[in-house]
Amino acid sequence: YPSSSCPRGALGCARWKGFATDLSSRRRRRWRRRKDLHVVGRNAFEEIVCLYQFQDHPALLASNQYIAMGDSAYSFSLTTFSRTGKLLQIEYALNAVANGRTSLGICAKDGVVIATDKKLTSELVDVAHVHKVELLTPSSGVCFSGVGPDYRVLVQRARKASQSYLMQYGEVQPISQLVKQTAGVMQEYTQRGGVRPFGISLLIGGVDGDGTPRLYQVDPSGAYFSWKATAIGKNYVNAKNFLEKRFTEDMELEDAIHTALLTLREGFEGEMNCDNIEVGVVRNGKFSILTPEQIQDYLDEAN
């Protein structure tokens, strides 16, 4: 009301206007606090929300007004890509591989050598019953870096697949087909709910159908590559750099074994001996695991 016609008079009207203004400002401040609490709550919600709660609301999911998920919101889901196109559980599996013991392989012109560090955390463990190099077929073997129990599962799967091939076709399964089947098993565990990726990478050495030596690496994503020489696990970067300097196209198997031992020694923690490493070789189309005495002879020659 105008102050002249206000029933409260000019003074009462002024006081009423001041009270109304103060009430309005308090309401605005309260609204701002609620808005800030909404933003804080929304940010906390983004960190823990599961994407499946919004799978039926694509408009809400796509709206940055309500939710703007970071990669951390996708880290618990194996079957959902993040906004940057990553499956974070596979990256975490690769981190498990990078934290594992070093393993390496070299494909020579007349064979393949795979070697791995099997140093244990306690001296009370009987190393004679710890095996990180395994035979898959008479002409191929495998070693790993990463989570040991996952390794046993994949070795059993590969052996069953190779025996099925032998019974069906009457011949040993070529290394390329064995690797493809093993990679297929690992890939299946990246696109189904209720499972997790295998936390290991494999180095598989053997001979192909035409007798050519081959070395393959299989990653948790199911991707596989043929290598002339490679390394996985802890300190794999330095090991690869060392192999790049020492590898030659005409390298023979004996030279490859010495090179593999020298590469393992480069990043080895403590003293390397025949008990804390394991070596497998493909020679004349047959795979075999070197005995501790044979490994010690090679170590003495390398010195």
Side-chain angles (χ1 to χ4, degrees):
Y1 299 100
S3 59
S4 59
S5 60
C6 180
R8 300 181 182 88
L11 182 59
C13 185
R15 288 177 178 175
W16 171 255
K17 288 182 178 179
F19 173 76
T21 302
D22 185 57
L23 179 62
S24 178
S25 63
R26 286 201 301 269
R27 287 177 176 173
R28 285 197 297 268
R29 286 196 298 269
R30 189 180 301 119
W31 180 83
R32 290 195 187 98
R33 285 196 298 271
R34 289 179 178 175
K35 183 179 179 182
D36 293 340
L37 289 174
H38 171 71
V39 172
V40 172
R42 187 185 67 186
N43 291 336
F45 175 74
E46 289 172 6
E47 296 297 325
I48 63 174
V49 68
C50 177
L51 186 64
Y52 293 112
Q53 296 177 359
F54 294 94
Q55 60 184 356
D56 297 328
H57 304 280
L60 180 61
L61 183 63
S63 174
N64 291 330
Q65 182 179 359
Y66 294 98
I67 186 168
M69 283 186 170
D71 281 350
S72 60
Y74 298 87
S75 61
F76 297 102
S77 175
L78 170 62
T79 57
T80 305
F81 285 96
S82 70
R83 293 190 302 166
T84 56
K86 298 178 181 179
L87 289 174
L88 296 181
Q89 285 297 314
I90 293 180
E91 293 194 1
Y92 298 158
L94 290 172
N95 291 340
V97 173
N99 292 329
R101 295 291 182 180
T102 305
S103 300
L104 59 91
I106 301 175
C107 184
K109 68 178 184 180
D110 57 344
V112 181
V113 55
I114 54 177
T116 183
D117 170 7
K118 68 170 187 176
K119 185 178 179 181
L120 302 172
T121 56
S122 174
E123 297 181 356
L124 301 178
V125 179
D126 188 357
V127 295
H129 294 84
V130 178
H131 303 289
K132 292 188 64 178
V133 178
E134 296 284 356
L135 180 136
L136 297 180
T137 69
S139 62
S140 63
V142 61
C143 68
F144 80 100
S145 288
V147 182
D150 292 2
Y151 176 60
R152 295 198 302 269
V153 173
L154 287 175
V155 168
Q156 292 176 358
R157 291 283 191 93
R159 286 173 174 171
K160 288 182 178 179
S162 63
Q163 287 299 309
S164 177
Y165 185 95
L166 179 64
M167 293 180 63
Q168 184 172 357
Y169 298 103
E171 61 182 18
V172 176
Q173 188 175 22
I175 182 66
S176 58
Q177 296 187 25
L178 181 61
V179 168
K180 186 176 181 180
Q181 286 187 344
T182 304
V185 172
M186 298 178 75
Q187 195 276 333
E188 287 179 2
Y189 279 72
T190 67
Q191 61 179 24
R192 291 190 303 173
V195 298
R196 65 164 176 81
F198 288 96
I200 59 171
S201 286
L202 302 176
L203 292 181
I204 304 178
V207 294
D208 227 336
D210 57 356
T212 305
R214 299 289 185 189
L215 173 67
Y216 289 91
Q217 175 182 336
V218 188
D219 286 336
S221 63
Y224 62 94
F225 311 92
S226 178
W227 290 85
K228 299 176 181 177
T230 189
I232 56 177
K234 189 181 298 182
N235 202 36
Y236 75 97
V237 175
N238 294 332
K240 279 188 175 182
N241 292 335
F242 188 86
L243 288 172
E244 288 176 359
K245 297 176 182 177
R246 302 288 297 238
F247 180 81
T248 58
E249 295 288 345
D250 58 346
M251 178 179 287
E252 296 183 351
L253 183 59
E254 291 297 317
D255 294 333
I257 296 174
H258 286 98
T259 302
L261 296 178
L262 290 174
T263 306
L264 273 181
R265 180 176 291 173
E266 281 294 309
F268 201 86
E269 299 176 358
E271 181 182 0
M272 190 174 76
N273 54 53
C274 61
D275 294 324
N276 53 25
I277 63 172
E278 201 164 3
V279 182
V281 296
V282 179
R283 193 194 309 265
N284 298 325
K286 300 294 182 181
F287 180 81
S288 62
I289 300 175
L290 299 185
T291 64
E293 293 75 17
Q294 291 175 316
I295 295 176
Q296 189 61 51
D297 290 340
Y298 282 110
L299 289 174
D300 295 338
E301 293 177 6
N303 293 332

